[in-house]
Structure formats: structure tokens, C-alpha cells
Amino acid sequence: MDDVVMYLRGLVPGRRAVFALTIGALSGWLAALSGMPLPWMLGPMIGNTLAAVLALPVRGPDRLRPLVIPVIGVMLGSALRPEMFDTAGRYAASLALLPPFLVVTALVSYAVYRRVGRYDPVTAFFSAMPGGLNDMLILGGAAGGNEKRIALAHAARVLLVILFVVLFYGTALDVDSGEVARGAPAAALSLLDWALLGAAAVAGVPLGKWLRLPAPQVTGPMILSGVLHLVGLVSVAPPGALIVVAQVVIGTVIGCRFIGVSAAQIGRDLSLGALSSVAMIAVAVVSAAALTAITGLPLSLSFLGYSPGGLTEMSLLALAMGQDVAYVSVLHLVRIMLVIFAAQPVFRATRRGAQSGTKPPRSGS
């Protein structure tokens, strides 16, 4: 019993985390008033990034994140409809173009961090990989890279790619706003709905881990929720209030990743991240245009599928923009899996190649 009490106490945010969440909530409210897409995530993200730059006493509510991420997974699963899979053949071309897209994206990003940023080869390699922050941080740290720079590089990538994608959608494309992203009124859910959606959130996490899926906290609940909605056992999304809370926590955590870094270092890393993100987005636009020409998919959908942001964030954007969540989620799942499984072997192969190429010639040869 004492262990349970201690665990629950550990989930209660400290004063700095509460302050960060307060900034996040206020920033989200202002973003919603301004009409910004996905305001309850982007607002807290921007607000807490500024708070970190100004060295305000904020701290990311990291222990709350695993609790709210399953809510996002359940929400994403509630957007799945049987008709989405009627044209599943389009996945083949999209997946076939994904590996060369990732290679080119990683190469241009590596050039930015190595040639412009003057990062060491290990740090530049794992900073450039368009994969998960936690996974690249673990692999990069084990390989001897600068963990703080790797973390900042990926935090900047997620933050800036989201902002660039929102800007792109807001100015260049005509898309409809998704209804599911706003959630359902709590009164619209029956007791059975609450029970089934809650079970999807709770049981989905161990399912995702058992299946060894990337980001199991979101993918597992998304799969279970999707199944429940596809078979008709549930027809509503999670309550809108829970979705807002989850997005505020996620946005606050992303913004607070810049805590403890000097303003000059944040400016430098964000500048490098911006340059890298622009290069990645350029590759994504070209790849999406090629995919659209081949398959006839809308550019808005193919571009979102190839945008190198986080799985959770890109899926949320797809939902908020009225796009095909299943398609976008599948592409980002495969992207993250490819990067995670290929990063370390490719790194080792390139290191062996570099070392063998710099060996001095044997005497007499």
C-alpha cells in the first residue's frame, strides 16, 4: 500500500511543473483565440520554449506524459473508418518511396550538422536521423555522442517541423478541420463507451510493448481503439476535455526540453535545427509531389505522411486537418521502425569504412 501511495505522489507535478502547465494552458487558450491549428499543443509548446529561453522557473511534467499519451492514441484510433482501407493499395507506392526518402533526408541533415554546425561525426549522425528522440538519444549516447546536442536537435526538429507544416497547411493548402480532434462532449459517452475506451487506453500500452511497436504508449491504444470503432462497438471519440489536457501536457513537455541551455546555445541549436528542418521539408515536398504524381494522392496527404515530425504530433495534425489518420500513422510508424533498426548498423558500417579508409599503408606496400 505504501508503494502505491509513493507512486501516486510521484505523479503529482512539482511547483515548476505546475508553473509550466499554467503557461501551457494560457498559451493554448491564446492560440485557440487566434485560430491557430492544433492550438492546445502548439500554444503550450511555443509558450514553454519562450519560458525556457527566458530562464523562467519551469520544468516539464515528464511523469504525466505516459498517462496522457494513451488518450491521444485512443483519439487517433477513433478516427479510423472501414472506408479508409478501401484504397489500401496506395500504401505500396508510399512505402516503396520511404527508404530512399529517409536516406536523402538523413544525408542532407547530416551535412547541416557536420559541415555547418561542426558537430563531431557521432553527434551529427544521430542528430540527423529522422527517428524518435528517445531512441536516437539512447543509441547516440551509447556510441559516444553528445547527448544534450542530440536531444536538442530532435526537440528542435519536432518543434520546427510542426510549425512549418502548420504554416504550409495554413497558407498553401485548402484542408478541412477534423471533428474528432476536438473530441466528444462527456455527456455523449455512455458507461459502456467510457469502459471500452478506458480499457483501450490501459490495455493498449502493454499490447504495444508486447508487439514491440515504436511509441507503444500511443500505437497500442490507437490499435485497440481503432478495432473498437471499426467493428462498431464504439462510435464516439474520447471527451474533448481529456484531449485538451493531453495536448497541453505534450506541448509543455516539448517546450521544456530546452531548459538548462543558454539562450545563445538554444539560438544556435534552433538555427541549425531550422536549417536541417528546411532541408528535410524540402525533401519531403519533392518526395510527396513525386508520390502524388504516381498515385494521384492529394498532396496534402502525401506531404503530411512524409513530414519528418513525431508520430504523435503528425497524427494529431492529420486528425486536426481532416486527413487520413490511418495512412499518416502507418507511414510514420514504418519510418520510425526503419530508422531505429537501421541507425545503429548503418552507423557501425560507416565507422568501419571510415576507419579502414584512414589506416596508414603497410611498409613496403
Side-chain angles (χ1 to χ4, degrees), residues 93 97 289-297:
L97 285 176
L291 182 61
T292 294
I294 294 171
T295 64
L297 284 173

PDB file of all heavy atoms in Angstrom, residues 93 97 289-297:
ATOM      1  N   ALA A  93       3.121   2.023 -52.934  1.00  0.00           N
ATOM      2  CA  ALA A  93       3.986   3.035 -53.539  1.00  0.00           C
ATOM      3  C   ALA A  93       4.566   3.963 -52.473  1.00  0.00           C
ATOM      4  O   ALA A  93       5.745   4.338 -52.534  1.00  0.00           O
ATOM      5  CB  ALA A  93       3.205   3.842 -54.575  1.00  0.00           C
ATOM      6  N   LEU A  97       8.708   4.291 -51.663  1.00  0.00           N
ATOM      7  CA  LEU A  97       9.473   5.533 -51.761  1.00  0.00           C
ATOM      8  C   LEU A  97      10.045   5.971 -50.413  1.00  0.00           C
ATOM      9  O   LEU A  97      10.903   6.861 -50.366  1.00  0.00           O
ATOM     10  CB  LEU A  97       8.589   6.663 -52.311  1.00  0.00           C
ATOM     11  CG  LEU A  97       8.282   6.642 -53.803  1.00  0.00           C
ATOM     12  CD1 LEU A  97       7.328   7.775 -54.157  1.00  0.00           C
ATOM     13  CD2 LEU A  97       9.559   6.763 -54.615  1.00  0.00           C
ATOM     14  N   ALA A 289       5.417  15.254 -53.803  1.00  0.00           N
ATOM     15  CA  ALA A 289       4.970  15.608 -55.153  1.00  0.00           C
ATOM     16  C   ALA A 289       5.149  14.433 -56.111  1.00  0.00           C
ATOM     17  O   ALA A 289       4.281  14.160 -56.956  1.00  0.00           O
ATOM     18  CB  ALA A 289       5.743  16.831 -55.648  1.00  0.00           C
ATOM     19  N   ALA A 290       6.283  13.718 -55.977  1.00  0.00           N
ATOM     20  CA  ALA A 290       6.506  12.542 -56.821  1.00  0.00           C
ATOM     21  C   ALA A 290       5.475  11.467 -56.530  1.00  0.00           C
ATOM     22  O   ALA A 290       4.918  10.839 -57.445  1.00  0.00           O
ATOM     23  CB  ALA A 290       7.914  12.006 -56.585  1.00  0.00           C
ATOM     24  N   LEU A 291       5.181  11.258 -55.229  1.00  0.00           N
ATOM     25  CA  LEU A 291       4.187  10.259 -54.849  1.00  0.00           C
ATOM     26  C   LEU A 291       2.805  10.633 -55.368  1.00  0.00           C
ATOM     27  O   LEU A 291       2.052   9.778 -55.852  1.00  0.00           O
ATOM     28  CB  LEU A 291       4.158  10.123 -53.326  1.00  0.00           C
ATOM     29  CG  LEU A 291       3.204   9.088 -52.743  1.00  0.00           C
ATOM     30  CD1 LEU A 291       3.572   7.695 -53.227  1.00  0.00           C
ATOM     31  CD2 LEU A 291       3.223   9.137 -51.217  1.00  0.00           C
ATOM     32  N   THR A 292       2.462  11.916 -55.291  1.00  0.00           N
ATOM     33  CA  THR A 292       1.176  12.382 -55.804  1.00  0.00           C
ATOM     34  C   THR A 292       1.070  12.158 -57.303  1.00  0.00           C
ATOM     35  O   THR A 292       0.019  11.751 -57.817  1.00  0.00           O
ATOM     36  CB  THR A 292       0.991  13.873 -55.470  1.00  0.00           C
ATOM     37  OG1 THR A 292       0.888  14.022 -54.044  1.00  0.00           O
ATOM     38  CG2 THR A 292      -0.270  14.427 -56.116  1.00  0.00           C
ATOM     39  N   ALA A 293       2.164  12.409 -58.020  1.00  0.00           N
ATOM     40  CA  ALA A 293       2.166  12.202 -59.476  1.00  0.00           C
ATOM     41  C   ALA A 293       1.994  10.728 -59.825  1.00  0.00           C
ATOM     42  O   ALA A 293       1.351  10.383 -60.813  1.00  0.00           O
ATOM     43  CB  ALA A 293       3.466  12.739 -60.072  1.00  0.00           C
ATOM     44  N   ILE A 294       2.544   9.834 -58.967  1.00  0.00           N
ATOM     45  CA  ILE A 294       2.481   8.401 -59.240  1.00  0.00           C
ATOM     46  C   ILE A 294       1.127   7.810 -58.865  1.00  0.00           C
ATOM     47  O   ILE A 294       0.535   7.032 -59.611  1.00  0.00           O
ATOM     48  CB  ILE A 294       3.602   7.664 -58.484  1.00  0.00           C
ATOM     49  CG1 ILE A 294       4.969   8.075 -59.027  1.00  0.00           C
ATOM     50  CG2 ILE A 294       3.425   6.146 -58.589  1.00  0.00           C
ATOM     51  CD1 ILE A 294       6.129   7.566 -58.197  1.00  0.00           C
ATOM     52  N   THR A 295       0.615   8.202 -57.700  1.00  0.00           N
ATOM     53  CA  THR A 295      -0.574   7.552 -57.147  1.00  0.00           C
ATOM     54  C   THR A 295      -1.853   8.370 -57.274  1.00  0.00           C
ATOM     55  O   THR A 295      -2.944   7.826 -57.121  1.00  0.00           O
ATOM     56  CB  THR A 295      -0.357   7.235 -55.657  1.00  0.00           C
ATOM     57  OG1 THR A 295      -0.195   8.476 -54.938  1.00  0.00           O
ATOM     58  CG2 THR A 295       0.892   6.384 -55.466  1.00  0.00           C
ATOM     59  N   GLY A 296      -1.727   9.673 -57.483  1.00  0.00           N
ATOM     60  CA  GLY A 296      -2.910  10.520 -57.504  1.00  0.00           C
ATOM     61  C   GLY A 296      -3.398  10.914 -56.128  1.00  0.00           C
ATOM     62  O   GLY A 296      -4.472  11.525 -55.996  1.00  0.00           O
ATOM     63  N   LEU A 297      -2.620  10.588 -55.076  1.00  0.00           N
ATOM     64  CA  LEU A 297      -2.991  11.009 -53.730  1.00  0.00           C
ATOM     65  C   LEU A 297      -2.968  12.534 -53.624  1.00  0.00           C
ATOM     66  O   LEU A 297      -2.179  13.198 -54.308  1.00  0.00           O
ATOM     67  CB  LEU A 297      -2.002  10.447 -52.703  1.00  0.00           C
ATOM     68  CG  LEU A 297      -2.121   8.975 -52.325  1.00  0.00           C
ATOM     69  CD1 LEU A 297      -0.939   8.586 -51.434  1.00  0.00           C
ATOM     70  CD2 LEU A 297      -3.423   8.705 -51.597  1.00  0.00           C
TER      71      LEU A 297
END
